[in-house]
Amino acid sequence: MNPKVDFYFDKEKKWQKEQEQLRKIALDCGLTEELKWGTPCYVFQKSNVVLIHSFKEYCAFLFFKGALLNDTNNILIQQSKNVQAARQIRFTNLQEIIDLESILKTYIYEAVEIEKAGLKVVLKKTTEFPVSEEFQQKLDKIPDLKNAFEALTPGRQRAYLLHFSQPKQSKTRESRVEKYIPMILDGKGLND
């Protein structure tokens, strides 16, 4: 146990017992406990394997390369269609975790083997993401915007492309594009 992580378990009210059990399972598998993104993260030789996080309706193990796991028990969940690598196992009570302990350890050990083998999730290229018509028009009309967008990291490009293409109405897509043009020109990402 890493004392720097203890505060997380002390402050958590709703899922405290469940998360303490998940912590025990991860540590039993020989992983190193660290605090990353404000949550407990379990690491094998500097590679993130799994983290614990909670939401209103559930707490979960999140496997960073869950897409590569052999989900023989059909318990891994892709949070949204845009999540490419990570997969969750969700829990709504302590007994679920206790009942699945040996299976959870199997998934963790497999995730460690994936790290040992150096396997990587093949991510979609930015060019494979749809570009909203409204954003494409701006890119075609404003060369500086096109250059600034292409200079962004692939992750920042994907975030913008997803954000711009989500709304159903053209008016909303147009509004989003207009709002973020200055940030793109400044070389900033959607959440910078």
Side-chain angles (χ1 to χ4, degrees):
M1 289 187 191
N2 182 337
K4 292 178 182 175
V5 182
D6 287 341
F7 90 93
Y8 179 87
F9 294 98
D10 295 339
K11 76 172 177 77
E12 191 63 39
K13 299 289 184 245
K14 184 172 183 180
W15 302 109
Q16 188 171 14
K17 288 182 180 126
E18 290 83 358
Q19 291 188 347
E20 286 173 355
Q21 185 66 28
L22 292 173
R23 181 186 203 187
K24 179 186 171 300
I25 291 168
L27 291 171
D28 283 351
C29 293
L31 298 177
T32 302
E33 184 176 61
E34 295 183 12
L35 188 67
K36 295 187 178 184
W37 309 284
T39 63
C41 182
Y42 299 88
V43 175
F44 173 77
Q45 295 179 353
K46 298 184 181 181
S47 294
N48 299 328
V49 175
V50 66
L51 64 75
I52 297 171
H53 58 172
S54 64
F55 297 89
K56 190 175 180 180
E57 285 91 33
Y58 62 89
C59 65
F61 259 156
L62 177 94
F63 288 88
F64 287 87
K65 294 182 181 175
L68 298 178
L69 291 172
N70 184 10
D71 189 16
T72 55
N73 294 283
N74 203 28
I75 56 176
L76 292 174
I77 297 169
Q78 184 176 2
Q79 288 173 278
S80 75
K81 66 181 173 88
N82 297 321
V83 174
Q84 296 182 64
R87 297 292 184 272
Q88 286 182 332
I89 301 176
R90 297 177 180 175
F91 309 98
T92 57
N93 63 66
L94 180 61
Q95 193 60 48
E96 283 179 306
I97 298 167
I98 292 168
D99 293 345
L100 287 173
E101 182 170 343
S102 65
I103 292 169
L104 296 173
K105 286 182 177 181
T106 300
Y107 279 59
I108 291 171
Y109 290 134
E110 184 182 351
V112 168
E113 290 304 315
I114 287 169
E115 291 305 325
K116 285 180 182 177
L119 300 178
K120 304 267 187 231
V121 176
V122 178
L123 301 176
K124 286 180 8 182
K125 290 181 172 51
T126 305
T127 56
E128 296 177 61
F129 285 84
V131 179
S132 72
E133 183 180 324
E134 296 78 5
F135 186 49
Q136 187 61 57
Q137 288 173 358
K138 295 292 184 187
L139 291 172
D140 294 342
K141 288 180 185 174
I142 309 170
D144 287 348
L145 177 63
K146 185 174 195 265
N147 293 334
F149 182 74
E150 289 173 352
L152 293 173
T153 63
R156 287 181 171 143
Q157 290 178 8
R158 282 191 299 273
Y160 279 122
L161 293 175
L162 291 170
H163 187 66
F164 295 157
S165 64
Q166 281 176 338
K168 290 180 174 54
Q169 293 186 6
S170 177
K171 180 173 74 173
T172 308
R173 290 190 300 269
E174 178 73 31
S175 170
R176 285 188 179 186
V177 170
E178 288 293 335
K179 178 180 177 181
Y180 287 99
I181 286 175
M183 286 184 65
I184 295 170
L185 290 171
D186 285 345
K188 295 181 179 175
L190 185 66
N191 300 310
D192 290 346

